[in-house]
Structure formats: structure tokens, C-alpha cells
């Protein structure tokens, strides 16, 4: 079953006198997210990422199109029984302690009151907040608030967890811990929908990634698909490539260059790559490694946003 | 069940605010004053209520004394009404705008609760806190008058519910503007202005606004508005009459219930249509 499905979802916000000012937040957005995946939505500020989550949670109504969560067509209040949400810039009541926040929102989420104390203790431990659970939230740092927010999103043992900038304000050690929590949740079959600006982190945890810009979906795929750069390969060798080999190889590949002990071969097919390898071996060049050349997710993202990498 | 959780959450939220402690503090000072001031003196000619030990009335029979005590209690309740309106609205007007603030409303509405439930839970929580404040004062004064004068006026005790009912009607207007504006200051100003510029003039329209024009349409519109909105002054005066042991009209209470319900319904409808 698909965890999330949207079909040509669009959102236009209207404001001003007589609601005449229009801002298009999302245009014809269609994606499918399978259960048990970590799916990340990337995009610059104002791309429509948060709007999409808000429409899935019925916080905003679509202007057109449709969406479903866990097989239920939206809007459907019952969907929210199986969903956890960590909003961006969330505000918890400062007069409550961390533990009280979880009890309050757990009760609102419909968790049985008998099960809450145990669940709160487990979650506080999970997000590393056990020792501050009785401290008033108004004394929490930004990082502590994010950890509490993550625990709040998990309090009702949801099937899908929407996280909007979950590592915002969290230190590197904390970010690593959150990544581990996300991986653990995935192992337990949960679906995680992530909005984040921290592309290096998204790259580390995501199964699939979608890139949005100005409300339009630019590309969707696995991290490997997003970062692959055509048929370029990096061949590790010892020593220097003889000029005769370089000339011979350039006769059948798009390009060949050497930098240090790495030879980059731009091929049209894997057959060409094998031809290059055969050529090197015939000329007694020792090969130490062969890897497909990749860009980072950040490079791919920037390339897509600036238009260079658009399909 | 979720509405009860919201009501309890709102009570806790308001308990953390200073404004309502001011109201409770004023109530306490008034109770101390009443405890020190009010007394009764028994002579061969009958009983009289004393004020700081001096007779405030000529000696009367017990029945007349009960009537006098009722009037005394009604006077205090009238004073309390002003305090409830001013401090009650000041203390609770922020509840709904705060719940609808970005970063907070997302948390609430990501849970399986309907928007009308959120509104109703916050509304009832605020009213419950004001009820507790009123009950504290009315209950305290009832005890003081009962112990010191020997008159146990149960109708005065019931006035805690009546005054809460009046506040709840006014608070529907405050809640409506809280939903529309999502701004505490606007909700407060709207509530007070409604009381001063709408409810008051409409109540006394026959001796005030009617004089501006003799047009039947104009006067019909005024009458229509009067029956459309909660009749706060009429209910306040009815409550005071009941405490004094006099008859009071039920109509303003029934009409205000419908009106406040309609206003809250409209607020819930607007809330349902809003994007967050």
C-alpha cells in the first residue's frame, strides 16, 4: 500500500482586499511514497514543501487535485490518528514540562492514558531528554525543543511521521542521533516524510528524494539516481597513464583525463568502459578501483534549481 | 474525551497567567473586607445587619433581614460582574488567538481533533476558569453572610452559574473575534466595545437610539439587532433580581443562549475554512 499519494495537487493562497492577491504555492504536484521509506522533499525557501505537508494534514485545503494518506482520500480526520508531525518553528506551552507536553499531545492524539507514562519515558530516553523531562519547556534550548518535538511526533506510535526541518538548531552529535532514530523507525516499518535544507543529511538517510522549486516538481528518484552523472567512471591506477593509451582510448570514448592516480572516463555505454579497462590491462596499467562518478546531492540539487541539470 | 483534554489544558494555561490571579486577589480582598465589615446584631426589637459594628438597618424580623441580606449580596454580585467582565475578558481573550498561532495550531490540528472541537475546548476551558473564580467569590461571600448574619440564601449561590452564563455569552463574541483576527488585543477591544457600544445602547434603545429617528425600518433594525446578539445587560439585571429574591425574565437568557451558540457556530465555520 502506498503511504502517500498525490495527484495533480495545487495550492493557490489568496490574500489582501477581496482576496485578490494570489500566491501559487504548489502546481500539479504528483508523487507516490511507499510505506516503510524515508522520503525527502527538497527545495529552496518558498518552494511549496511545507504547503504540501499541510495539505496532507488538512491544515490547508488544496485548490485542485487530490491526495490520499494510507489509502484514505483527504480530507479525513481519521488519517491523523496514524500520523505524527513535527512542524517547523513549533511552539509548545512554556508553562508545561517536557513530560507534560507529551502527555497533553498524546491524550489529544488518542493514546490510552494508561499507556502514556511508559511511552513518554521510552521516547524521552530515545531522544536523549530523560534528565530534562521535568524541566519547564520555556527553559529549553532550540536543540532540546527539536528533540522534544520529535518525541511529540512519535507519541501516538504513528505509521507516517512528517518532519519539517527536524535537525534545525541541533548540534552535529544530536543530528547524528536523530539520523539513527530515523533509521530505527524505518527498520520498524514506519514511513518518514522529511523536509530539510540540510542536503548532506538527507543524502545519508533518504531512500527517495523529490526536488521542488516554485511549486513545481523538478525531479524524483533514489539518492543514487539523483546524484549519478551520466556514464562517467573514475578508474584508480598506479603510476602515470602512457600517452599512447590516452590517445587510443579517446578514439572510442567521449573523454578521458587523468588527475593524480585517477583516470576519468566518460563513456556512452558500459561496453565502452570495459574496452577502456581492457586497453589499460593490455598496456600493463595496474587498476586499483573502478567507481561510477557521482556528484553530491547538494551539487545535483543546485544544478536542478539553477536549471543546468533539469531533464 | 478530547474536548475534556482541551478544557483541562486551557485551565492549566490560564492558571499560568497572572491576570486571573489579579481577579482572584481582588475577590480575596473583597471577601476579607466583607468578613470584617458584615455582622448582625440581635436586640429585643429584632435583628439588624451591622457594618463595622454599627447598625446598617433598623431592627427587623428575620424574614426582612433575609431580604436585606439578599440585597446586600446582590450589590456585591453587581460589583463582581464588572470585575468578571474586565479581568475575565483580559485574562482569557488570548486563549483562542494563542491556539491559532503559527507553530501551535499545526500541533493541535495534526492530531485527530476537529477544528470545532479545538474551538469548543478552548472556549469551555476559559469559561470554566471564570466559573471557578466566580464560585470562589460567591461561595465565600455566601459563607460569610451565612455565618455572620445567619441567612443562607441559596439563590445567591446559584448566581455563580448565572454570572458565568452571562460571561459565557459575552465570551462567545470575544472568541469569534479571536478566530477572525487571531489577535488578542482585537478580541479584547471587540468584546469591550460590544458591551459598551452594542449591547448597552441596544438594551436602552427605547430611551436612546429610538430618539434618533422615528422610522419604523430603523427601529425594526434596532429591535432585530437586539434579538440577534447576546443581551448582556438584561441578563446581568435579571441575575441581580433573582439574587434579591425578585422575579426575572427568562427570555434574555434563552435568547442569549441561541445567539451565543450561533456566534460560536459561525466562528467554527470560519475556522474550518481557514488555511494554516
Amino acid at each position: 500500500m502506498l503511504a502517500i499519494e498525490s495527484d495533480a495537487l495545487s495550492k493557490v493562497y489568496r490574500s489582501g482586499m477581496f482576496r485578490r492577491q494570489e500566491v501559487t504555492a504548489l502546481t500539479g504536484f504528483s508523487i507516490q511514497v511507499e510505506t516503510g521509506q524515508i522520503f525527502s522533499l527538497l527545495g529552496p525557501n518558498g518552494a511549496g514543501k511545507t504547503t504540501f505537508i499541510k495539505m496532507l494534514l488538512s491544515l490547508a485545503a488544496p485548490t485542485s487535485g487530490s491526495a490520499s494518506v494510507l489509502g484514505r482520500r483527504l480530507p479525513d480526520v481519521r488519517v491523523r490518528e496514524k500520523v505524527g508531525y513535527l512542524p517547523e518553528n513549533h511552539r509548545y506551552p512554556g508553562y508545561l514540562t517536557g513530560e507534560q507536553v507529551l502527555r497533553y499531545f498524546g491524550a489529544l492524539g488518542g493514546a490510552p492514558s494508561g499507556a502514556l507514562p511508559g511511552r513518554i519515558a521510552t521516547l524521552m530516553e530515545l531522544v536523549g531528554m530523560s534528565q530534562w523531562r521535568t524541566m519547564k519547556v520555556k527553559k529549553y534550548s532550540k536543540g532540546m525543543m527539536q528533540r522534544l518535538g520529535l518525541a511529540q511526533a512519535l507519541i501516538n506510535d504513528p505509521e507516517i511521521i512528517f518532519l519539517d526541518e527536524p535537525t534545525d538548531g541541533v548540534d552535529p552529535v544530536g543530528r547524528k542521533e536523530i539520523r539513527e532514530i530515523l533509521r530505527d523507525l524505518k527498520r520498524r516499518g514506519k514511513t518518514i516524510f522529511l523536509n530539510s535544507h540540510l542536503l548532506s543529511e538527507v543524502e545519508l538517510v533518504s531512500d527517495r528524494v523529490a526536488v521542488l522549486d516554485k511549486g513545481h516538481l523538478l525531479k524524483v528518484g533514489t539518492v543514487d539516481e539523483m546524484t549519478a552523472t551520466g556514464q562517467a567512471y573514475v578508474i584508480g591506477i598506479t603510476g602515470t597513464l602512457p600517452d599512447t593509451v590516452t590517445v587510443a582510448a579517446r578514439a572510442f570514448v567521449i573523454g578521458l583525463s587523468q588527475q593524480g592516480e585517477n583516470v576519468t572516463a566518460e563513456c556512452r555505454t558500459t561496453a565502452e568502459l570495459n574496452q577502456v579497462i581492457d586497453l589499460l590491462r593490455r598496456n600493463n596499467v595496474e587498476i586499483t578501483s573502478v567507481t561510477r562518478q557521482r556528484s553530491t546531492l547538494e551539487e545535483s540539487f543546485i544544478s536542478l534549481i539553477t536549471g543546468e541539470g533539469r531533464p | 474525551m478530547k474536548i475534556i483534554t482541551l478544557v483541562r489544558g486551557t485551565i492549566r494555561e490560564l492558571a499560568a497567567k497572572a491576570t486571573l490571579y489579579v481577579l482572584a486577589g481582588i475577590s480575596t480582598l473583597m471577601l476579607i473586607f466583607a468578613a470584617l465589615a458584615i455582622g448582625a446584631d440581635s436586640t429585643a426589637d429584632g435583628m439588624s445587619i451591622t457594618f463595622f459594628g454599627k447598625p446598617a438597618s433598623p431592627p427587623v424580623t428575620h424574614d426582612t433581614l433575609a431580604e436585606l441580606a439578599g440585597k446586600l449580596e446582590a450589590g456585591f454580585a453587581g460589583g463582581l460582574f464588572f470585575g468578571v467582565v474586565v479581568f475575565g475578558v483580559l485574562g482569557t481573550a488570548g486563549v483562542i488567538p494563542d491556539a491559532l498561532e503559527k507553530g501551535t495550531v499545526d500541533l493541535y490540528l495534526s492530531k485527530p481533533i476537529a477544528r470545532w472541537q479545538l474551538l469548543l475546548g478552548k472556549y469551555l476551558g476559559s469559561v470554566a476558569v471564570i466559573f471557578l473564580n466566580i464560585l470562589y467569590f460567591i461561595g465565600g461571600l455566601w459563607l460569610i453572610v451565612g455565618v455572620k448574619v445567619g441567612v443562607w440564601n441559596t439563590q445567591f449561590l446559584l448566581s455563580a452559574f448565572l454570572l458565568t452564563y452571562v460571561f459565557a455569552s459575552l465570551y462567545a463574541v470575544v472568541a469569534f473575534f479571536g478566530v477572525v483576527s487571531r489577535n488578542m488585543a482585537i478580541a479584547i477591544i471587540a468584546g469591550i466595545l460590544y458591551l459598551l457600544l452594542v449591547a448597552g445602547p441596544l438594551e436602552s434603545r427605547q430611551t436612546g437610539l429610538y430618539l434618533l429617528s422615528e422610522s419604523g425600518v430603523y427601529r425594526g433594525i434596532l429591535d432585530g439587532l437586539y434579538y440577534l446578539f447576546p443581551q448582556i445587560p438584561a441578563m446581568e439585571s435579571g441575575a441581580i433580581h433573582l439574587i434579591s429574591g425578585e422575579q426575572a425574565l427568562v427570555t434574555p437568557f434563552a435568547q442569549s443562549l441561541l445567539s451565543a451558540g450561533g456566534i460560536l457556530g459561525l466562528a467554527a465555520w470560519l475556522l474550518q475554512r481557514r488555511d494554516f
Side-chain angles (χ1 to χ4, degrees):
Chain A
M1 184 173 60
L2 288 172
I4 299 165
E5 188 173 17
S6 73
D7 181 22
L9 206 58
S10 297
K11 179 66 189 174
V12 178
Y13 288 106
R14 292 188 173 85
S15 62
M17 186 81 79
F18 306 113
R19 296 163 64 86
R20 279 190 300 193
Q21 282 174 296
E22 288 188 355
V23 176
T24 303
L26 208 59
T27 308
F29 187 62
S30 302
I31 56 158
Q32 294 186 331
V33 179
E34 286 169 27
T35 51
Q37 279 194 342
I38 300 182
F39 189 99
S40 296
L41 195 53
L42 310 178
N45 293 334
K49 307 185 299 289
T50 301
T51 295
F52 180 61
I53 290 186
K54 288 188 170 187
M55 284 196 282
L56 295 181
L57 293 169
S58 303
L59 284 160
T63 306
S64 63
S66 64
S68 61
V69 173
L70 295 168
R72 288 187 187 277
R73 196 180 158 92
L74 300 176
D76 186 337
V77 75
R78 286 170 297 177
V79 161
R80 286 180 263 155
E81 287 168 7
K82 296 174 180 177
V83 160
Y85 178 38
L86 167 65
E88 193 182 12
N89 301 321
H90 48 85
R91 284 161 43 99
Y92 292 106
Y95 51 87
L96 296 181
T97 65
E99 203 171 61
Q100 288 167 338
V101 164
L102 294 189
R103 193 172 302 133
Y104 184 45
F105 286 101
L108 287 177
S113 56
L116 272 176
R119 181 133 188 88
I120 289 168
T122 307
L123 286 173
M124 282 299 210
E125 179 75 37
L126 182 73
V127 298
M129 290 287 291
S130 288
Q131 65 188 110
W132 296 290
R133 68 182 197 278
T134 55
M135 186 196 272
K136 293 251 194 266
V137 167
K138 64 184 168 195
K139 292 181 182 166
Y140 280 12
S141 67
K142 180 82 196 285
M144 289 161 86
M145 288 292 272
Q146 286 298 98
R147 287 164 184 262
L148 178 68
L150 183 57
Q152 181 279 131
L154 301 174
I155 189 69
N156 294 101
D157 194 20
E159 288 178 34
I160 304 181
I161 302 131
F162 292 96
L163 304 172
D164 204 346
E165 304 293 349
T167 52
D168 194 18
V170 180
D171 60 41
V173 176
R175 288 207 292 267
K176 184 171 181 292
E177 286 169 4
I178 289 176
R179 282 200 303 270
E180 282 309 312
I181 292 170
L182 300 187
R183 287 195 186 106
D184 180 54
L185 290 167
K186 187 194 158 186
R187 274 194 290 275
R188 291 197 276 136
K190 310 289 184 190
T191 307
I192 296 160
F193 193 97
L194 198 63
N195 272 1
S196 179
H197 287 112
L198 293 172
L199 302 182
S200 54
E201 286 186 23
V202 167
E203 191 169 1
L204 288 170
V205 295
S206 304
D207 295 308
R208 290 181 78 224
V209 174
V211 178
L212 259 179
D213 186 32
K214 298 181 184 121
H216 294 273
L217 177 65
L218 299 184
K219 193 172 181 182
V220 61
T222 63
V223 172
D224 279 351
E225 287 166 353
M226 300 295 272
T227 55
T229 53
Q231 296 275 10
Y233 295 88
V234 179
I235 304 167
I237 61 166
T238 53
T240 309
L241 203 61
D243 287 342
T244 51
V245 173
T246 307
V247 172
R250 281 178 180 163
F252 59 88
V253 295
I254 301 167
L256 192 92
S257 59
Q258 183 175 12
Q259 194 165 29
E261 293 199 327
N262 285 330
V263 173
T264 302
E266 289 177 63
C267 311
R268 290 173 197 85
T269 61
T270 48
E272 285 185 3
L273 170 69
N274 281 297
Q275 271 183 277
V276 173
I277 292 168
D278 290 345
L279 181 67
L280 296 178
R281 294 300 302 130
R282 276 202 305 276
N283 288 277
N284 298 318
V285 176
E286 192 182 359
I287 296 172
T288 55
S289 63
V290 178
T291 52
R292 193 169 183 177
Q293 192 181 46
R294 299 196 171 281
S295 60
T296 62
L297 187 57
E298 186 169 281
E299 286 164 348
S300 302
F301 173 78
I302 291 170
S303 163
L304 274 169
I305 296 298
T306 54
E308 291 167 19
R310 289 191 192 183
Chain B
M1 189 61 200
K2 281 165 192 163
I3 289 183
I4 293 171
T5 304
L6 283 165
V7 169
R8 287 168 60 185
T10 308
I11 292 172
R12 181 176 258 168
E13 176 186 341
L14 288 170
K17 289 189 176 176
T19 323
L20 291 164
Y21 289 108
V22 172
L23 182 58
I26 292 170
S27 296
T28 305
L29 287 175
M30 284 173 77
L31 287 174
I32 292 169
F33 175 78
L36 293 173
I38 298 170
D41 197 13
S42 184
T43 63
D45 299 327
M47 293 181 74
S48 60
I49 293 177
T50 61
F51 211 68
F52 288 111
K54 293 181 180 166
S57 67
V60 291
T61 62
H62 186 270
D63 284 351
T64 314
L65 188 77
E67 201 178 303
L68 285 174
K71 288 194 188 304
L72 179 75
E73 288 168 334
F76 271 103
L80 177 68
F81 176 77
F82 177 76
V84 164
V85 167
V86 174
F87 288 98
V89 169
L90 281 177
T92 57
V95 166
I96 288 166
D98 284 353
L100 301 182
E101 206 167 311
K102 188 177 163 57
T104 303
V105 70
D106 315 58
L107 291 169
Y108 280 119
L109 297 183
S110 66
K111 302 297 175 194
I113 54 172
R115 295 183 183 197
W116 68 265
Q117 288 178 311
L118 176 64
L119 177 65
L120 189 62
K122 291 284 168 185
Y123 172 84
L124 291 177
S126 301
V127 172
V129 168
I130 295 301
F131 172 68
L132 292 174
N133 264 286
I134 292 173
L135 192 65
Y136 167 64
F137 179 77
I138 297 281
L141 192 61
W142 180 75
L143 273 175
I144 289 166
V145 172
V147 169
K148 300 196 95 174
V149 184
V151 174
W152 299 93
N153 181 3
T154 46
Q155 270 178 306
F156 180 58
L157 210 50
L158 289 174
S159 70
F161 295 96
L162 288 177
L163 287 177
T164 306
Y165 191 95
V166 177
F167 173 78
S169 303
L170 176 64
Y171 193 61
V173 177
V174 176
F176 174 82
F177 282 100
V179 168
V180 171
S181 68
R182 287 201 271 175
N183 182 302
M184 184 179 85
I186 291 175
I188 290 173
I189 292 166
I192 302 292
L193 286 184
Y194 168 75
L195 197 62
L196 297 178
L197 300 181
V198 180
L202 283 177
E203 182 63 32
S204 57
R205 66 197 180 286
Q206 284 161 334
T207 54
L209 292 172
Y210 268 14
L211 304 179
L212 294 176
S213 168
E214 289 184 357
S215 157
V217 175
Y218 167 72
R219 291 184 176 183
I221 290 171
L222 289 180
D223 288 345
L225 290 173
Y226 177 70
Y227 290 108
L228 195 64
F229 295 120
Q231 298 170 3
I232 309 292
M235 285 196 291
E236 184 205 356
S237 130
I240 289 169
H241 277 100
L242 285 171
I243 297 165
S244 309
E246 296 165 12
Q247 294 289 316
L249 284 173
V250 179
T251 325
F253 291 95
Q255 183 274 328
S256 297
L257 178 68
L258 289 175
S259 176
I263 290 169
L264 277 180
L266 183 61
W269 181 72
L270 291 171
L271 186 59
Q272 186 61 40
R273 288 167 52 90
R274 171 164 286 168
D275 286 331
F276 290 101

